Amino acid sequence: MKKEILVYSPGDPNDVSIWSNVPYFFCRSLEQQNVKIDKVDISIKNNIFNFPVREYSKIKRKILQKKYGKDIVYGFYRNEYYDKVTLFKMQNGERKYPKANVQVIFDFSHAIKNGKPLIMLCDWTIEYYIKEHLKRLPNNYEQKLIRRQYDMMRQSDAIVSIFPRSYDQIKKHFPDKTYYLGHIVNSLEKYKDNRTTQYKKKNVLFIGGPKYIKGLVFLIKAINNYNSYCQNDEKLTLNVIGITKAQIKINLNTDFCNFYGYLNKTILEDREKYYNILSNSRVIVNPTANWNGASSLFESLYLGVPIIVSPNIELKALMKEKSFCNFCDPRSIKSLEEKLKLTFSETFEVFAHKSLEAHRFADQYTWDKFAKKFINLVNSLN
């Protein structure tokens, strides 16, 4: 029987900017495998009708922050209104596409039971996020959210995590229906061997939104120190994508920085600028502690750009002892300086090997390979 998959997306899946490009690439790669995809946008737009609920969520969050701390896992996307509207939109989508025989949602917190297999595809659970990213135990309020999420996951027929250690954690709860099909590379560009040009560059690239500002500040300080003992022709330039200079609230020397802000890949000019900067970078660096944006890092590796990052459980699982990945201590600027010094003192032969190894490593995680594995999973459910 020909498969028809109903996809519940947290935004327009035709928009490449939604959820780190995942819905866009997921739908496109399966369509290229001749799978019919029905797309349903289950996001809730910010409008006058839900304005009171959003304001209520802000007030409730402030109250919870006073009781439990500023990093409480709560917001508009964790309240009862959002859950009910999401289910309503899923039910409408199911009625609109009755011929679909499989359902997919990029979420572990919402489920629909209608007799058709439901596959949840996401990164990690609330419990995992709190323990591994926030480095603490869940509080009493968050325990309720965790129990609810696991209740939703029980209603699914298959659970797919895109990270290996997250998969290990989920499998402990749902051993018979949890899968890891490999990570994914979200790139709109194909690999081109640009190693000779890259090697000549004295530049560093940082990609990340405002939540990574601490890591960016750390990097700026490290490069500032590095440049202080270099000749002018050896000094480094830092290109920053995703953050503007105005968003950095502390006083820093940024004379060696180029700030590009957010570059929207759905806009041709922005996309060309993004890939021109990325493919002509010597190294991409994000020293933010605990998490540093896997999507941009894997895309960089696919295009042959080595990385320097702070270690986290997922990257260590995927890239331990890989020549193209250097881990720095997120508490030590000196550690990052040393990694930069090693990078920019290596021979062309060393760099060329690292760059090619980076591409070959990431190439095993392209969407066409993921799509084939996913289709096999779908076929196993029927």
Side-chain angles (χ1 to χ4, degrees), residues 212-380:
Y212 298 116
I213 281 180
K214 284 186 178 180
L216 174 58
V217 169
F218 190 88
L219 175 58
I220 291 173
K221 290 179 178 178
I223 294 179
N224 197 37
N225 290 352
Y226 179 96
N227 284 348
S228 66
Y229 52 79
C230 289
Q231 299 293 327
N232 285 337
D233 61 346
E234 294 296 318
K235 290 184 177 181
L236 303 181
T237 297
L238 173 60
N239 295 317
V240 180
I241 295 176
I243 295 173
T244 64
K245 185 176 180 179
Q247 289 174 303
I248 301 176
K249 303 300 183 182
I250 63 176
N251 187 26
L252 289 170
N253 173 27
T254 57
D255 293 343
F256 52 87
C257 301
N258 298 313
F259 292 90
Y260 295 95
Y262 174 67
L263 296 178
N264 189 339
K265 292 180 185 177
T266 61
I267 300 172
L268 181 59
E269 182 180 355
D270 279 8
R271 187 168 71 199
E272 289 177 347
K273 183 182 293 185
Y274 177 92
Y275 284 110
N276 180 59
I277 295 168
L278 177 52
S279 62
N280 285 288
S281 295
R282 177 69 178 272
V283 64
I284 182 170
V285 182
N286 191 335
T288 310
N290 299 331
W291 193 249
N292 21 43
S295 180
S296 60
L297 295 177
F298 269 79
E299 183 177 34
S300 301
L301 294 175
Y302 175 73
L303 296 176
V305 183
I307 63 175
I308 300 174
V309 293
S310 63
N312 63 59
I313 188 172
E314 296 294 357
L315 292 186
K316 284 194 292 185
L318 287 161
M319 295 183 229
K320 186 178 181 181
E321 298 179 356
K322 300 292 185 183
S323 68
F324 53 78
C325 175
N326 273 317
F327 291 117
C328 66
D329 185 345
R331 300 161 298 180
S332 168
I333 291 177
K334 189 67 177 177
S335 166
L336 181 51
E337 285 182 61
E338 290 300 318
K339 299 299 182 183
L340 291 171
K341 185 177 180 180
L342 286 171
T343 296
F344 287 94
S345 63
E346 62 196 12
T347 64
F348 173 74
E349 288 72 21
V350 171
F351 170 77
H353 172 76
K354 286 169 60 174
S355 175
L356 186 58
E357 187 185 9
H359 166 68
R360 287 174 174 169
F361 168 79
D363 188 55
Q364 66 182 308
Y365 299 120
T366 55
W367 270 102
D368 60 325
K369 297 179 178 68
F370 184 92
K372 291 173 183 176
K373 295 175 185 176
F374 190 85
I375 291 171
N376 289 337
L377 170 60
V378 169
N379 289 335
S380 73

Side-chain angles (χ1 to χ4, degrees), residues 123-125 128 132-133 161-172 178 180 183 291 312-320:
D123 41 22
W124 42 65
T125 62
Y128 179 91
E132 295 298 335
H133 289 214
S161 175
I162 58 176
F163 290 106
R165 291 297 169 261
S166 169
Y167 157 78
D168 291 341
Q169 184 264 334
I170 297 170
K171 193 171 179 64
K172 292 177 182 177
T178 303
Y180 173 66
H183 196 63
W291 193 249
N312 63 59
I313 188 172
E314 296 294 357
L315 292 186
K316 284 194 292 185
L318 287 161
M319 295 183 229
K320 186 178 181 181

